[in-house]
Amino acid sequence: MRDSVLDGTGAEEEEPVNDDPLTRLRELCMAMPEATERISHGAPTWFVRDKKVFVMFQDNHHGDNRTGFWCAAPPGAQEELVGEDPERFYRPPYVGHRGWLGVRLDVSPDWAEIAEIVDQSYRLVAAKRLIAELDARTGG
């Protein structure tokens, strides 16, 4: 897969895009203020200040044949998204009862939407100062 970008002359040129879902997810998560990554429960997991989890990568978790991630979600989001598109969203084990959302990365991922979901998850667990720092970076 390739993305088109403008070169210095204004002409369009192709830029390679990394198709590895873990690499792309890692880039999104590590762009958040004071985000850290470590293996937790056998999977790459992203934390705010190395304490609060906001995203957890999963690849064939206990043989479920899914590659995706679990993340914090606002009240009602899990039910809404799973109801609208159960091929891409699901109720993850262990944390689904708390409203966390499962997002598939192996079914035509919409990376712009995934970036929004990661951002929202981060905002649910981060301190107000870190959210303000994120807003200052992004103009949010």
Side-chain angles (χ1 to χ4, degrees):
M1 177 186 278
R2 300 178 84 71
D3 278 348
S4 294
V5 295
L6 295 178
D7 68 11
T9 66
E12 218 174 88
E13 66 180 28
E14 297 278 315
E15 179 177 287
V17 173
N18 191 325
D19 284 332
D20 176 50
L22 176 56
T23 299
R24 291 189 77 176
L25 183 62
R26 177 176 285 126
E27 289 169 357
L28 293 172
C29 292
M30 293 305 293
M32 299 297 158
E34 297 189 38
T36 57
E37 177 184 350
R38 71 175 187 267
I39 300 297
S40 179
H41 299 87
T45 303
W46 291 273
F47 298 80
V48 177
R49 292 184 170 156
D50 210 31
K51 292 182 181 155
K52 294 182 178 182
V53 174
F54 68 100
V55 170
M56 185 174 213
F57 181 77
Q58 296 295 326
D59 189 15
N60 198 30
H61 181 74
H62 294 300
D64 69 1
N65 294 316
R66 291 188 278 221
T67 298
F69 66 95
W70 305 345
C71 65
Q78 179 199 87
E79 295 80 10
E80 179 182 338
L81 291 169
V82 171
E84 287 175 4
D85 194 349
E87 292 296 314
R88 292 189 314 133
F89 301 105
Y90 61 99
R91 184 179 194 253
Y94 312 113
V95 293
H97 69 281
R98 294 189 323 208
W100 277 50
L101 178 66
V103 181
R104 292 192 70 159
L105 297 174
D106 56 355
V107 181
S108 301
D110 177 342
W111 286 101
E113 181 180 43
I114 290 166
E116 291 175 16
I117 291 168
V118 168
D119 179 88
Q120 188 172 58
S121 179
Y122 177 86
R123 290 170 183 277
L124 288 170
V125 300
K128 289 178 184 176
R129 184 185 69 74
L130 295 176
I131 295 169
E133 183 179 331
L134 180 60
D135 287 342
R137 285 185 193 179
T138 62

